[in-house]
Amino acid sequence: MKRIIVCILAALCALSMNAQNSEQIISKIEKAYTSSKTVQDKFSEVFTPADKSLKQKMRDGRFEFKPGYFKMDYSNGDIFLIEGTTMTIKNGPASQKFDLTKNLMMKNLSSTLTYVFQSQLTKLATEQNADITATKDGNFYLVTLTAKKKAPRGYSQIVAYYRISDCKLYSLRMDEFTGASTFYSIAK
């Protein structure tokens, strides 16, 4: 009986230490963000449709991010732009504008991208109604947000890697409830 109690206490201590370590990592990443800095770099994107028999779409380009502004210039001429409360998506000759105050799906996409770049992970978890964990994984912090309940739209899981050395975003994967997934990796 004593062995069982000791094992249970050891497991509870390990869980408590993991939770504390997770909170410390998230806090470190959030504190490292410098809001006045513009971030520019190359990126690659891989979109995997829900129907795995369909072909993945791979694209690359350059992005620029600063508070209130996020632009992805794809090498094929497509553009993805968030300016304040407006999102513009240009695919070939077609262009769409969205008012983020009126379109919840696009607001969720905008919030996810900007909050991850701004290291506002706790805010993103609250807005997305998700549990958040963080661990060390080699030279990176692995931050995982998992939706608390299934929804018709949105993300079931968001996985971000931040470099331990400077807490800068290295890669991002957004898994949709539909089964589709988008993965971004940043050149640096």
Side-chain angles (χ1 to χ4, degrees):
M1 184 68 172
K2 282 185 179 181
R3 279 188 172 167
I4 293 172
I5 292 172
V6 169
C7 288
I8 291 172
L9 288 174
L12 288 173
C13 285
L15 285 173
S16 175
M17 285 175 50
N18 248 2
Q20 184 180 20
N21 192 30
S22 183
E23 290 172 11
Q24 290 170 343
I25 291 170
I26 292 165
S27 178
K28 182 178 179 182
I29 293 168
E30 289 179 336
K31 288 177 183 173
Y33 175 71
T34 307
S35 63
S36 60
K37 189 175 181 185
T38 298
V39 179
Q40 296 177 325
D41 211 335
K42 292 179 184 177
F43 73 93
S44 62
E45 173 188 284
V46 177
F47 175 76
T48 304
D51 182 349
K52 304 300 183 220
S53 67
L54 298 175
K55 189 176 177 182
Q56 287 183 328
K57 294 180 185 177
M58 293 179 245
R59 306 189 299 174
D60 63 356
R62 293 193 61 77
F63 75 88
E64 179 181 353
F65 173 80
K66 56 188 173 189
Y69 183 88
F70 182 72
K71 184 176 185 182
M72 299 171 81
D73 277 316
Y74 291 90
S75 57
N76 67 357
D78 291 349
I79 294 172
F80 176 87
L81 174 66
I82 302 168
E83 277 187 296
T85 60
T86 303
M87 178 188 291
T88 305
I89 300 174
K90 180 186 172 292
N91 288 318
S95 182
Q96 295 177 292
K97 279 194 181 218
F98 302 95
D99 180 345
L100 299 177
T101 64
K102 297 178 182 176
N103 188 318
L104 182 61
M105 188 171 78
M106 292 304 172
K107 182 184 183 313
N108 283 342
L109 172 59
S110 172
S111 294
T112 300
L113 291 171
T114 56
Y115 290 168
V116 167
F117 269 90
Q118 291 176 327
S119 303
Q120 295 182 348
L121 302 169
T122 306
K123 186 174 182 179
L124 178 61
T126 300
E127 190 173 291
Q128 298 286 332
N129 193 25
D131 292 320
I132 184 171
T133 60
T135 60
K136 285 185 180 179
D137 186 1
N139 294 327
F140 300 95
Y141 291 127
L142 167 61
V143 179
T144 305
L145 290 93
T146 305
K148 291 181 180 178
K149 61 182 182 176
K150 190 172 173 136
R153 292 190 176 125
Y155 303 107
S156 58
Q157 190 172 64
I158 299 166
V159 178
Y161 279 88
Y162 292 86
R163 289 189 303 254
I164 288 176
S165 60
D166 58 7
C167 294
K168 299 294 182 210
L169 182 65
Y170 179 77
S171 68
L172 171 65
R173 190 185 81 227
M174 301 182 306
D175 298 332
E176 299 176 29
F177 286 108
T178 63
S181 180
T182 305
F183 176 79
Y184 296 99
S185 80
I186 298 170
K188 285 187 182 176

